[in-house]
Amino acid sequence: MKKIFLASLISLFLGGLIGWFLSGFGKDISSFVFREKYPDAPLGLKWGMTAAELESKAGAVLCPERFDENVPIYSLKSPPIPLPGITEYLVFVHNDYGAMKILMIEEFKSDEDGTKGKEEYFKYKKALSNKYGKPTDSIESVEKDNDEFYQCLDSVECGYYVTFFGDHLSIQLDGISRGRGNLNIVYESELFIKHDEDRENKIQNGL
């Protein structure tokens, strides 16, 4: 669970990292046009569902980690529509707004050259493209492939396998160690953005 939660933190900050990463490849982040469009909740769920609803309809179990003081994280044991290969479903549930962000994770072990990981990445990238249209940006490049594939993905200077469908939906291969990595699919709702705005307002009002 610790490894999975660390992977979720990496996914949460992809938006900030990608600007730095693109600049390293000689690209101007301002040249990318993002659609301000929010994806539907996956897995047969709905945005705004309460913790009680997730417990009864998706077998939600409270995780020891929290996103912040107002947002506990739940792991789904039996989502209404599970996805092939996905091994962990994490839902960020605001105390007032309900379900506002979902992270789905597929774990890979003994996948030395990343063959399985890349296969799953492109499978889900194609499925998301069929539903949401052409990605707004995609980076699939590593300096070291072969048996150091995931080790390379573990370093932002070495490589990235990530695709964005606007600002609020992304898919990424994340490295943990040699032969080990995760596929992270992240969905954000408008409620998540509202939560961020609430936090910013509290900071401004308190200064």
Side-chain angles (χ1 to χ4, degrees):
M1 184 63 196
K2 292 292 185 182
K3 292 286 188 182
I4 293 174
F5 188 69
L6 287 174
S8 73
L9 292 179
I10 292 172
S11 297
L12 290 177
F13 294 105
L14 274 177
L17 288 174
I18 197 65
W20 175 87
F21 182 72
L22 288 175
S23 65
F25 275 74
K27 298 182 180 180
D28 181 3
I29 188 67
S30 63
S31 67
F32 293 93
V33 179
F34 296 112
R35 298 187 298 269
E36 187 63 16
K37 183 178 180 181
Y38 297 93
D40 298 329
L43 310 171
L45 303 175
K46 293 183 178 180
W47 297 123
M49 291 179 72
T50 65
E53 289 174 326
L54 290 167
E55 288 169 358
S56 64
K57 298 180 180 180
V61 176
L62 182 64
C63 297
E65 301 89 352
R66 299 175 67 91
F67 181 63
D68 64 27
E69 66 277 8
N70 293 314
V71 184
I73 301 174
Y74 287 81
S75 175
L76 306 185
K77 303 306 178 185
S78 53
I81 306 177
L83 295 175
I86 300 298
T87 49
E88 185 75 24
Y89 305 90
L90 299 177
V91 184
F92 296 67
V93 184
H94 192 281
N95 291 334
D96 296 321
Y97 305 145
M100 60 179 192
K101 182 166 188 156
I102 295 174
L103 168 63
M104 300 183 291
I105 301 169
E106 180 174 359
E107 294 182 88
F108 305 109
K109 300 177 181 179
S110 301
D111 185 25
E112 302 298 337
D113 60 358
T115 297
K116 181 62 175 177
K118 285 182 280 189
E119 177 184 319
E120 291 294 282
Y121 170 87
F122 285 112
K123 179 182 75 176
Y124 276 106
K125 177 181 176 179
K126 180 179 179 181
L128 289 169
S129 298
N130 289 339
K131 182 171 183 177
Y132 291 102
K134 184 179 178 180
T136 51
D137 191 36
S138 187
I139 303 172
E140 290 141 7
S141 175
V142 293
E143 292 183 4
K144 298 178 181 179
D145 215 329
N146 300 321
D147 61 350
E148 295 185 32
F149 177 73
Y150 289 110
Q151 289 168 292
C152 185
L153 289 181
D154 193 33
S155 170
V156 293
E157 294 90 354
C158 189
Y160 252 108
Y161 261 67
V162 60
T163 294
F164 293 92
F165 296 85
D167 284 339
H168 311 293
L169 174 60
S170 65
I171 179 171
Q172 180 195 18
L173 269 177
D174 174 48
I176 296 176
S177 61
R178 182 170 181 174
R180 294 193 62 201
N182 292 333
L183 176 68
N184 303 319
I185 306 176
V186 183
Y187 286 73
E188 289 180 353
S189 72
E190 191 170 2
L191 297 172
F192 185 77
I193 306 306
K194 180 173 175 56
H195 166 65
D196 281 349
E197 291 173 349
D198 288 347
R199 295 183 67 184
E200 291 176 5
N201 289 336
K202 287 181 180 179
I203 293 172
Q204 291 297 325
N205 292 336
L207 292 177

